[in-house]
Amino acid sequence: MFNCYGCTCRTIPLQERSRAVSVVFGGLAFGSVLGLLFAPPIIQNLGWESVFYIFGLLGIIWCLVFESVQELQPGDNEDILNLENTSAGSNGHISSSVPSKSSDSSLEEMTDSLKDVPWGEFFKSKAVWAMIYTHFCGSWGHYTCLSWLPTFFSEELNLNLTDAAWVSILPPLGSMVITSIAAPFADNLISSGVDTTKVRKICQAIAFLSPAAFMMLSSVDLGLPPWVVVAFLTGGISLSNFALSGLYCTHQDISREYASILLGITNTVGAVPGIVGVALVGYLVDTTHSWSMSLFAPSIFFYLTGTAVWLTFASSEPQDFNKLASESLRESNQ
C-alpha cells in the first residue's frame, strides 16, 4: 500500500489525487465486508481460532502472489520510483535505463537513503504533528468500532451473532458509497480553484464531526428502535471516509518526495488504538457495563479534539524538508 501511495503522488495530478487515494485505500472497506461476511460461519463451523489461521494463510498467499508478479516485471518499480529520470516514448509508455540491482546493493542504498531523510524537520512541522494526532484520532474510532460494533449489536440491540455480522457490513458498504462521492467532491473543488488546504480541512471535518454527532445520538437513551441506531452508526462511520480526501491526501500535498515516509510515521501512531483502544474498550465494558462510556465517549472525544487540531494546524502547503534541514545545519554551524 505504501508503494502505491508513493507512486500516486508522483504520477497523479493534484486535481485527481483524492480519487487515486480512494482507490488505493478502497480495499480496506472491501476487505472488511468480506471478513464480516465469512467470519461468523467459519467460527460456527470450525471454531474461533480458525478465523485467524484462514485469514492469515490467505494473507500469506496474497503476499507471495504479489511478490511473484513483481518479479515477473522487474523493471516496473525502477520506472516508477525514478519517474523523474524517465522519458515517455512515442507510444506513450514510460521507458527507463535504470539497471537492475542486487538485493544486497539495494538494501545498502535503502539504508543510506534513510540516513539522508530529514527526520528532525518532520517533527518540527506543525502540519506533520496535526497529521499524526488526526491519524491517531481517526484510527481510534475506526478500530474500536470495527472490533466492538458486532458485540454491541449483539448485546445491546439483541441481535444474534449472524444478524449482528450482517448488520456490521453496512458501515463498510456505506463507506464504499461515500468514498465514491467524497473523492470527486474534493477533486472538483480543487479543480474549480478552491484552496487545497481548505478542501482538506472541509473533508476531514466532515469525516470527524459526522460520526461524532451520530455516536452522540446513539449513546443517549432516546428510546430509538434498533434499526435507527444501526442507521445512525452506519451513516456516521460511512461519512468518516471523507478522511480519504482529507488527511490521507495531505501527506502527498506537503511532500511528494517523502509522502510514503510521512504516511508511515502517522500510520504507526495510528496503529496504537488498534492495540490500546480495542483492549481499553473491552476493559471499560466489563467494568462500567456501559457502551456509551466505553465505546462511544472516547471516540467522540478524539473526533472532536482531532477536528480542532486539524482545523487549527493542518496545511497542504508544500514543504521542502531537505531545504529546511540544510538551513538548520547551516545555522548550527555558524
Side-chain angles (χ1 to χ4, degrees):
M1 179 178 291
F2 289 99
N3 283 338
C4 293
Y5 188 82
C7 292
T8 58
C9 69
R10 292 180 172 89
T11 59
I12 304 298
L14 174 64
Q15 294 81 2
E16 300 176 12
R17 186 166 293 163
S18 295
R19 278 171 281 195
V21 171
S22 297
V23 170
V24 171
F25 285 90
L28 294 174
F30 184 68
S32 298
V33 172
L34 293 182
L36 290 168
L37 281 176
F38 288 109
I42 291 175
I43 293 173
Q44 290 178 345
N45 292 283
L46 301 176
W48 66 268
E49 302 96 334
S50 60
V51 172
F52 295 94
Y53 293 126
I54 293 174
F55 287 178
L57 179 61
L58 290 174
I60 293 173
I61 293 173
W62 175 258
C63 181
L64 293 175
V65 171
F66 184 81
E67 289 298 324
S68 66
V69 171
Q70 279 191 316
E71 291 176 1
L72 290 175
Q73 298 175 323
D76 288 356
N77 290 332
E78 287 87 349
D79 289 344
I80 295 174
L81 294 176
N82 296 279
L83 189 62
E84 65 275 9
N85 297 323
T86 63
S87 59
S90 59
N91 58 359
H93 294 292
I94 296 174
S95 60
S96 175
S97 59
V98 178
S100 61
K101 301 179 179 64
S102 66
S103 59
D104 291 339
S105 62
S106 297
L107 181 61
E108 184 179 351
E109 288 182 3
M110 182 182 71
T111 303
D112 293 337
S113 65
L114 287 176
K115 292 179 182 178
D116 296 332
V117 173
W119 301 101
E121 297 306 317
F122 293 158
F123 297 103
K124 292 180 183 178
S125 170
K126 293 180 180 179
V128 171
W129 279 109
M131 290 191 297
I132 291 173
Y133 184 67
T134 302
H135 205 143
F136 177 90
C137 295
S139 293
W140 187 285
H142 174 77
Y143 285 127
T144 55
C145 287
L146 184 68
S147 300
W148 287 105
L149 274 184
T151 307
F152 169 77
F153 290 148
S154 177
E155 295 185 358
E156 192 72 9
L157 303 184
N158 298 317
L159 301 177
N160 61 46
L161 181 62
T162 303
D163 290 340
W166 277 100
V167 170
S168 298
I169 71 171
L170 294 178
L173 280 175
S175 297
M176 289 189 284
V177 175
I178 294 299
T179 298
S180 65
I181 298 173
F185 167 77
D187 286 340
N188 290 337
L189 284 179
I190 293 174
S191 297
S192 64
V194 180
D195 180 66
T196 304
T197 297
K198 184 178 293 186
V199 173
R200 304 302 182 214
K201 287 186 175 183
I202 291 172
C203 290
Q204 193 60 42
I206 295 173
F208 274 5
L209 295 179
S210 298
F214 284 115
M215 283 183 181
M216 287 180 186
L217 293 174
S218 301
S219 61
V220 179
D221 186 9
L222 300 176
L224 300 174
W227 68 268
V228 175
V229 176
V230 170
F232 281 166
L233 293 175
T234 298
I237 296 173
S238 299
L239 287 168
S240 69
N241 277 264
F242 264 86
L244 294 179
S245 300
L247 166 67
Y248 287 90
C249 286
T250 310
H251 308 76
Q252 300 181 8
D253 293 338
I254 69 173
S255 178
R256 294 175 60 188
E257 183 177 4
Y258 296 115
S260 295
I261 294 178
L262 290 172
L263 178 62
I265 292 172
T266 66
N267 198 55
T268 298
V269 178
V272 173
I275 304 171
V276 178
V278 173
L280 180 61
V281 170
Y283 171 78
L284 292 175
V285 169
D286 289 337
T287 55
T288 66
H289 304 288
S290 170
W291 285 100
S292 297
M293 294 300 298
S294 305
L295 178 60
F296 298 130
S299 295
I300 292 170
F301 169 80
F302 286 119
Y303 280 138
L304 294 180
T305 57
T307 301
V309 169
W310 183 258
L311 293 178
T312 303
F313 299 108
S315 174
S316 290
E317 291 298 319
Q319 300 186 30
D320 190 341
F321 291 107
N322 286 323
K323 181 179 179 181
L324 293 173
S326 299
E327 292 176 351
S328 297
L329 181 62
R330 188 162 49 250
E331 290 175 359
S332 63
N333 291 332
Q334 290 179 352

